[in-house]
Amino acid sequence: MAFKLPEGFLSYFKEWEDKVGAFIEFADLRSDAVCLSGQTAPLPAGAAALKGLPFAVKDNIAVEGMSLSCGSKLLQHLKAPYTATAVKKLLAAGAVPVGKTNLDEFGMGSSTDNSAIKQTNNPWDISRVSGGSSGGSAAAVAAGLAPFALGSDTGGSVRQPAAFCGVVGLKPTYGAVSRYGLVAYASSLEGIGVLADSVGRCRSVFSVIRGGDPLDQTSHDAPAAAPALYGANAGKGTIGVLSPEAVAKAISAEIAGKDLANAREGGDAGEVSLALASSLGVAAQAAELEAEVRKGFESAKDGLTELGYTLKEIEIPSLKYGVPAYYTIATAEASANLARFDSIRYGARPDWAENPDDLIDKAREAGFGDEVKLRILLGTFVLRSGFQDRYYLRAQRIRAGIRRNFEALLGSSDYGISGGGAAGEFDAILLPVFPTRAFGRGASSLSPFAQKAADLYTCCANLAGLPALSFPASVEGGLPVGVQLIGRAFAEGTLLDIAETWEQAHPIPHPAGYKAYWS
Ligand code: GLN
């Protein structure tokens, strides 16, 4: 069956896409190129709501016959030879993948400006970034070019662009959605997530794409004791509120400690700790919220209280080490995962090479962007023999500590399979998504280092493997502000219920010129 777009949509699409640049590829929907697949297996609850809907797919998730550039020059002309499990499940529900969206190269970044293919602008203000790395997916949904999109989230790449563009963004529990067909960046941290124009749509999509998959050995069904996906927590419950001030204070205290060490040690070690102190200074600054983001966060706290939730301040002491641990583990895994791109079987090649080694060197030198090269170098650095204790293993211990801190508040992730398993005091934790709203380019941009430091509120859910949901709290100064809920493993339903209760009282905002084509 050929797929039909609503009347007038193509000109609407073109007008927005020319300004925003969300897509790397868009299927010609007037032809029969996109077909609805036949239905076989019984469908999950949300499937009926998706029948006939178009959706966008981040260009690091495979859809057979469509682009799989990963935002990289190296893979710019690659067509995927197979389809990701998550996409297959959506096809089975009758939804149609209509385009591939822009991203930071291999998912590395927070602005989508690390794409080697094109620039994506924020639909709320085209002089600003759409966030990243799933910036194309977020921009497409925010502009109404697709009702939902798939993204990937390794350290915040679904939630942060969702917050920047004023849409809903879900990073599921690690393993809840198959990663088969997602081009790996940091395998132990990442997963496929959902960007959607409403909480209900997000839930429908998640209900379809979740579940264990024999093609991904880290994927699994939700345990029987996990909260239901529908109606797990509507209108009541206890939410722990992470105080951004407490996090900033903890990082500042860490710096004071380093200064002391600096004074004691002197010499070379002193210089090293001085460099560390200055980077921790950027990190402490990054933890502090921009005034408008603080306002949005406060309105979320007040609004949730009014809606009947009990809010209590909490602290997560290990959070101050989240960013260093995240970047140690992510770069280590990236350096291993990206080793496969040698341009031997596919990928852009140099015109001339002396021998296969030379071909690989030249292809990687010309094909990878600076950020990707930086991360490969960092990754090989932290994995050097004799240094693993100092960086990689230490980061893994921090990761375990962060997971324990979260489990103490929310309940254990294994639901008693290995003993224990009691629920925690909190149904969810409320925290900011990102310390700033969508930032600009040039002088008004954030430095690459400050962007990394600002991942502190998102990367902890990836380190702990927990589900996290970002939803619009308010619009401040013409730009959306998102807030984030983190939940117990496999408690996506709880987070969606809270956000849906919120959404009923505070409808999702839209940029000027937005038109709703999808009911
Ligand atoms: N900003 C983070 C990074 O650059 C997140 C990326 C992601 O989630 N893919 O690694």
Side-chain angles (χ1 to χ4, degrees):
M1 174 176 44
F3 171 72
K4 285 233 172 8
L5 284 172
E7 198 73 35
F9 177 76
L10 276 176
S11 56
Y12 175 83
F13 176 88
K14 195 170 167 344
E15 210 176 296
W16 266 110
E17 176 61 8
D18 285 349
K19 287 190 293 191
V20 165
F23 287 88
I24 286 175
E25 178 182 344
F26 195 79
D28 182 359
L29 297 170
R30 287 156 299 185
S31 75
D32 289 349
V34 182
C35 291
L36 303 181
S37 77
Q39 180 42 47
T40 45
L43 290 170
L50 303 182
K51 197 170 168 136
L53 283 184
F55 66 100
V57 183
K58 186 177 182 178
D59 208 22
N60 62 349
I61 299 171
V63 183
E64 191 181 337
M66 292 179 97
S67 165
L68 188 59
S69 72
C70 300
S72 180
K73 255 199 284 188
L74 194 94
L75 303 178
Q76 189 163 7
H77 302 292
L78 181 67
K79 297 284 175 207
Y82 61 91
T83 299
T85 298
V87 175
K88 272 200 173 146
K89 288 181 165 189
L90 289 166
L91 274 165
V96 187
V98 290
K100 302 303 300 289
T101 51
N102 201 16
L103 67 156
D104 288 304
E105 189 172 0
F106 291 102
M108 299 177 182
S110 302
S111 64
T112 305
D113 281 355
N114 290 342
S115 167
I117 316 272
K118 68 192 291 192
Q119 179 175 309
T120 297
N121 302 321
N122 193 307
W124 290 78
D125 173 353
I126 56 170
S127 74
R128 291 171 190 265
V129 302
S130 59
S133 60
S134 312
S137 286
V141 174
L145 307 184
F148 71 93
L150 295 182
S152 63
D153 193 310
T154 312
S157 279
V158 162
R159 290 160 284 156
Q160 186 258 26
F164 276 21
C165 293
V167 302
V168 178
L170 173 67
K171 176 209 106 61
T173 308
Y174 183 75
V177 175
S178 168
R179 282 183 293 116
Y180 180 73
L182 167 67
V183 177
Y185 152 26
S187 317
S188 79
L189 296 161
E190 71 202 352
I192 291 179
V194 184
L195 297 110
D197 60 0
S198 72
V199 179
R201 186 108 66 201
C202 182
R203 193 191 310 254
S204 301
V205 176
F206 177 65
S207 82
V208 169
I209 64 174
R210 71 179 177 152
D213 175 14
L215 297 172
D216 171 5
Q217 294 299 318
T218 62
S219 69
H220 32 127
D221 292 334
L229 183 53
Y230 288 84
N233 216 338
K236 54 182 183 312
T238 309
I239 299 174
V241 181
L242 183 78
S243 144
E245 290 77 28
V247 178
K249 228 169 69 199
I251 296 176
S252 303
E254 189 72 15
I255 298 168
K258 295 294 173 217
D259 281 348
L260 212 67
N262 180 29
R264 265 204 304 267
E265 285 168 19
D268 277 358
E271 263 168 51
V272 169
S273 54
L274 203 67
L276 188 65
S278 98
S279 48
L280 282 166
V282 177
Q285 218 170 8
E288 277 171 33
L289 304 186
E290 184 188 29
E292 288 84 355
V293 175
R294 154 134 312 281
K295 229 172 125 194
F297 189 61
E298 292 301 325
S299 61
K301 279 161 62 177
D302 295 345
L304 287 167
T305 310
E306 269 166 37
L307 288 165
Y309 293 96
T310 307
L311 270 61
K312 277 192 200 165
E313 295 260 330
I314 56 150
E315 280 185 24
I316 303 177
S318 54
L319 214 66
K320 59 179 181 281
Y321 302 122
V323 168
Y326 166 75
Y327 276 97
T328 302
I329 295 167
T331 56
E333 293 184 13
S335 70
N337 276 327
L338 268 57
R340 82 191 64 180
F341 298 112
D342 55 15
S343 289
I344 298 289
R345 272 172 295 183
Y346 57 90
R349 287 178 167 202
D351 292 337
W352 181 87
E354 201 153 349
N355 53 47
D357 280 345
D358 188 39
L359 184 150
I360 295 169
D361 283 354
K362 286 192 168 123
R364 288 166 70 85
E365 166 59 27
F368 288 147
D370 289 347
E371 184 65 31
V372 173
K373 286 177 187 156
L374 171 71
R375 294 195 190 199
I376 292 173
L377 284 173
L378 274 173
T380 48
F381 178 84
V382 297
L383 290 175
R384 276 177 316 164
S385 74
F387 287 82
Q388 290 187 2
D389 271 9
R390 211 189 261 189
Y391 302 110
Y392 186 71
L393 296 178
R394 213 159 151 196
Q396 293 293 4
R397 281 196 291 275
I398 292 171
R399 179 180 195 168
I402 290 178
R403 185 181 299 136
R404 276 197 301 273
N405 279 175
F406 273 108
E407 288 191 350
L409 298 163
L410 293 163
S412 85
S413 293
D414 69 3
Y415 290 92
I417 293 162
S418 53
E425 182 186 352
F426 298 98
D427 298 289
I429 291 165
L430 177 74
L431 68 171
V433 181
F434 203 76
T436 69
R437 297 164 301 157
F439 48 85
R441 296 193 169 92
S444 58
S445 177
L446 285 184
S447 76
F449 186 79
Q451 285 182 40
K452 292 184 176 75
D455 283 339
L456 85 163
Y457 296 113
T458 46
C459 70
C460 45
N462 303 77
L463 287 164
L466 299 176
L469 180 73
S470 153
F471 60 95
S474 64
V475 177
E476 306 292 346
L479 293 170
V481 175
V483 292
Q484 181 182 196
L485 292 168
I486 296 181
R488 191 180 186 187
F490 295 101
E492 284 84 357
T494 308
L495 307 184
L496 289 159
D497 280 350
I498 298 170
E500 201 158 39
T501 308
W502 170 269
E503 185 190 25
Q504 278 155 11
H506 309 84
I508 306 273
H510 298 296
Y514 171 91
K515 210 169 145 190
Y517 275 96
W518 329 102
S519 53

